[in-house]
Amino acid sequence: MKVAFFDTKPYDKPSFEHYGKEHDIQFKFLETKLTPDTVELAKGSDAVCVFVNDTVNAEVIDKLDTYGIKMVALRCAGYNNVDVEHAFGKIHVTHVPAYSPYAVAEHAAALLLTSVRRIHKAYNRTREFNFSLSGLTGFVLHGKTVGVIGTGRIGRLFIDICKGFGMHVIAYDKFPAKDSSIEYVSLDELFERSDIISLHCPLTEETKHVINQDAINKMKKGVVILNTSRGALIDAQALLEGLKDRKVGAACLDVYEEEADIFFEDRSNHILNDDVLSQLISMPNVIVTSHQAFLTKEALDNIAETTVNNLLSFYEKDGVCDNELCYHCNRIEECKKDRAERCF
């Protein structure tokens, strides 16, 4: 099996090469992202493997279809960069629904602790032998109310971490977890009551800019906002204004709305043309990491193993795959056929 592997980074190769050799899969590692201009590089392959910032729109799907490629294997959970509706009936799309969810939940907690205890500022100071404590006053998490938007695997693990700190947890989810002890509230109530808000939901038309100017207006003064999910869940301009107005006390972002042409690359010798991101990074109460929440040895291994199994399911099990994304179904990640036969 030949697979065109787009947007390759050095940390991707070891795990995929390991599982590829085990199952006689030949990965063609390409540094470029998949776009309408680069899709021709996939010619001669049986499938393509893509990541969060690759473009799998209608034009790309049609070209892949003409090349005889019948599978797009996402090595991530999110699929907002894929036109799943257009792919239906032409190309099968799979994803990795869970890859060490602990990694993302723990990163969110690390960002929160770093922010509220000013660890990043103290680290920079002591490297210059500045041992002053002025300006490093933080606050205790115990007893604070954290609002969690999205209670899937990662959201629930983050809730467990917060409970370990003695925090009071409230949550919002369109599809609440059954048989859980989670206190679910409306989105407006979550905005009004939370000292800290953490986003753990997928990006859909409904959730795009769930954090916007109206939402920020409803929040407590000094609220801390965390996002380790998808950048477009937050209206970045509204967040910037909220920080300038001192309504938002701090922001911790592992994702950014316009990250596609910025994150995952070394831009240190270039002028950053994104004025909003430049201003956010310049603020002392904002922490930005470049979509690294998933980046652990365990997660990379899980991603490679699951992606390879998805490929094998399609080509060795007549296209029956537990992780297929299907527009035909009521909810894209679920299956009317109970994964007993091909989606189409």
Side-chain angles (χ1 to χ4, degrees):
M1 191 191 309
K2 295 181 180 179
V3 180
F5 193 104
F6 286 88
D7 197 13
T8 306
K9 296 294 184 291
Y11 47 76
D12 290 318
K13 289 185 179 181
S15 296
F16 275 93
E17 287 177 337
H18 169 72
Y19 287 105
K21 287 178 182 178
E22 275 193 359
H23 300 283
D24 197 25
I25 296 175
Q26 181 181 340
F27 288 106
K28 178 183 178 182
F29 292 106
L30 303 164
E31 292 186 8
T32 185
K33 293 182 176 65
L34 176 60
T35 69
D37 295 327
T38 63
V39 65
E40 285 193 13
L41 295 172
K43 281 184 177 179
S45 301
D46 300 301
V48 296
C49 183
V50 300
F51 197 48
V52 294
N53 291 325
D54 289 296
T55 301
V56 193
N57 57 16
E59 182 181 354
V60 168
I61 289 167
D62 287 340
K63 286 185 178 180
L64 291 174
D65 190 33
T66 62
Y67 302 157
I69 294 171
K70 293 300 180 185
M71 184 176 180
V72 172
L74 286 155
R75 55 185 189 273
C76 53
Y79 47 88
N80 53 285
N81 57 326
V82 181
D83 190 338
V84 181
E85 179 178 4
H86 191 79
F88 181 72
K90 298 180 180 180
I91 291 183
H92 295 263
V93 182
T94 62
H95 73 147
V96 182
Y99 42 88
S100 184
Y102 298 96
V104 181
E106 289 175 7
H107 191 77
L111 287 174
L112 176 60
L113 283 168
T114 300
S115 176
V116 303
R117 297 310 303 270
R118 316 292 191 256
I119 303 298
H120 55 308
K121 296 179 71 175
Y123 173 78
N124 288 330
R125 282 190 190 184
T126 56
R127 285 178 63 83
E128 296 178 355
F129 306 111
N130 177 357
F131 300 101
S132 167
L133 296 181
S134 298
L136 299 183
T137 305
F139 65 83
V140 171
L141 294 178
H142 187 275
K144 297 296 188 295
T145 297
V146 58
V148 178
I149 301 177
T151 55
R153 295 178 182 88
I154 297 170
R156 291 198 298 272
L157 285 171
F158 181 72
I159 286 172
D160 289 342
I161 292 171
C162 291
K163 288 182 176 178
F165 280 108
M167 303 175 74
H168 178 63
V169 179
I170 58 176
Y172 170 82
D173 197 309
K174 186 178 179 181
F175 303 98
K178 297 178 180 178
D179 302 321
S180 75
S181 60
I182 299 170
E183 180 186 349
Y184 284 99
V185 298
S186 68
L187 206 49
D188 283 347
E189 185 177 347
L190 184 143
F191 292 148
E192 293 167 3
R193 291 175 54 190
S194 299
D195 301 300
I196 298 153
I197 295 174
S198 191
L199 299 168
H200 299 283
C201 56
L203 177 62
T204 66
E205 287 300 318
E206 290 181 86
T207 61
K208 183 176 181 180
H209 288 180
V210 66
I211 303 296
N212 52 36
Q213 192 60 62
D214 288 341
I216 291 172
N217 289 340
K218 296 171 184 174
M219 295 177 190
K220 288 183 177 181
K221 182 177 176 60
V223 64
V224 178
I225 298 176
L226 312 175
N227 189 7
T228 53
S229 188
R230 287 291 179 266
L233 296 173
I234 296 178
D235 181 336
Q237 184 64 51
L239 176 63
L240 181 61
E241 294 305 318
L243 287 157
K244 287 180 177 179
D245 294 339
R246 277 63 172 179
K247 181 65 182 267
V248 178
C252 302
L253 310 174
D254 185 56
V255 288
Y256 174 66
E257 187 171 6
E258 303 296 334
E259 70 177 53
D261 295 321
I262 301 173
F263 283 14
F264 302 111
E265 306 295 341
D266 182 358
R267 309 289 181 191
S268 58
N269 292 318
H270 301 271
I271 295 172
L272 189 61
N273 291 324
D274 191 313
D275 292 340
V276 174
L277 182 58
S278 294
Q279 289 184 71
L280 287 170
I281 290 174
S282 72
M283 292 181 168
N285 54 345
V286 175
I287 299 175
V288 176
T289 53
S290 54
H291 209 135
Q292 73 176 72
F294 77 97
L295 196 60
T296 62
K297 293 179 180 179
E298 295 83 358
L300 290 172
D301 187 75
N302 290 343
I303 289 169
E305 183 178 22
T306 303
T307 303
V308 166
N309 286 336
N310 289 344
L311 290 163
L312 293 173
S313 292
F314 183 77
Y315 287 101
E316 295 181 0
K317 299 179 183 178
D318 196 30
V320 180
C321 181
D322 289 340
N323 298 319
E324 180 162 5
L325 300 169
C326 177
Y327 185 80
H328 180 66
C329 296
N330 185 37
R331 291 184 66 188
I332 292 172
E333 296 182 39
E334 295 181 355
C335 181
K336 290 180 178 178
K337 298 180 179 181
D338 296 324
R339 311 295 185 188
E341 56 182 293
R342 288 175 73 116
C343 185
F344 59 84

